[in-house]
Amino acid sequence: MILSEKIDLGLGLPRDFEAGALFPGDRLLRLHPNWFIQDFQRTGKHFSAKIKDYATEETTPLSGMFRFNSGNEALLEISLADENETSITFSNLDGTLHVQIRSQQEIEGTDPLLLWVKAIREYVRIYAKKTPATLFFRLLMNRMVLQMNPSQRKICLMIARLTVVEIFIIILIVVGYVIFVL
């Protein structure tokens, strides 16, 4: 039995938005928060790779198909030939990004598939808007973050958080010194 769920992602897009140029090579798979991508091969629309899941430490083969701007307002269709025969379709309906997920098993709120959909949404968002901040994050994502595996990303995020806390503490010390000593 195939279950289907449609979700409005609440992201405004221009009518002529092209998704194909955003995802060369294995970039679409690298957006998954738990996957190490190994032996990625792509021939036309079809791909195959070995996926090592960061959470379960299991390595499984994954194959499927990517179709970009295939009509009917569909921006991106991902078909995964795994045990669940999962299909994810991103659509630009009335200028808003929607996703439809079809799978043989029920998708719960903590499912890594939903985290992957959210990561794809955020990646599309930094390309849909053209501000200095999104240009910076595009460069950061493409040159650094997507080149890392999930454990490296978690370590860098932890270091960034510690750096923010350190800067905050230094500012508090300087302000305290200026107020109470001078």
Side-chain angles (χ1 to χ4, degrees):
M1 179 174 147
I2 303 240
L3 301 171
S4 180
E5 184 176 345
K6 193 167 195 171
I7 304 167
D8 179 3
L9 295 177
L11 176 63
L13 293 176
R15 288 261 179 227
D16 59 346
F17 188 78
E18 281 287 325
L22 300 182
F23 303 108
D26 64 348
R27 187 174 293 169
L28 194 55
L29 295 177
R30 287 188 175 277
L31 286 169
H32 194 290
N34 295 334
W35 286 352
F36 292 97
I37 311 301
Q38 303 167 345
D39 300 329
F40 179 81
Q41 296 176 1
R42 186 171 176 180
T43 54
K45 295 178 184 178
H46 298 277
F47 73 91
S48 65
K50 283 178 147 179
I51 305 295
K52 182 175 181 185
D53 193 296
Y54 179 76
T56 64
E57 296 288 327
E58 294 178 6
T59 302
T60 58
L62 180 68
S63 61
M65 185 169 36
F66 299 139
R67 283 189 298 252
F68 297 101
N69 296 79
S70 60
N72 297 335
E73 303 292 332
L75 294 174
L76 168 62
E77 294 177 39
I78 306 169
S79 300
L80 302 177
D82 58 1
E83 66 272 0
N84 298 322
E85 295 293 324
T86 305
S87 172
I88 305 167
T89 304
F90 289 88
S91 304
N92 188 359
L93 300 174
D94 300 324
T96 306
L97 185 64
H98 289 74
V99 65
Q100 182 171 7
I101 304 171
R102 289 180 294 281
S103 180
Q104 290 183 354
Q105 75 177 28
E106 189 172 344
I107 298 167
E108 300 173 10
T110 58
D111 195 308
L113 190 65
L114 291 177
L115 294 176
W116 189 27
V117 167
K118 289 178 184 177
I120 293 171
R121 177 207 179 273
E122 287 303 309
Y123 192 76
V124 168
R125 183 186 63 79
I126 66 173
Y127 275 91
K129 296 183 180 183
K130 296 190 180 348
T131 64
T134 58
L135 291 173
F136 169 74
F137 282 111
R138 268 188 230 173
L139 182 67
L140 183 70
M141 287 290 291
N142 293 333
R143 300 283 177 163
M144 196 173 87
V145 176
L146 290 177
Q147 305 302 317
M148 297 180 205
N149 62 42
S151 59
Q152 291 170 332
R153 289 182 205 154
K154 291 183 188 310
I155 291 167
C156 284
L157 182 61
M158 179 190 65
I159 291 171
R161 287 179 181 158
L162 287 174
T163 303
V164 168
V165 169
E166 289 171 352
I167 290 171
F168 181 71
I169 290 172
I170 290 170
I171 290 172
L172 281 177
I173 290 171
V174 168
V175 168
Y177 180 78
V178 167
I179 291 174
F180 296 113
V181 175
L182 297 178

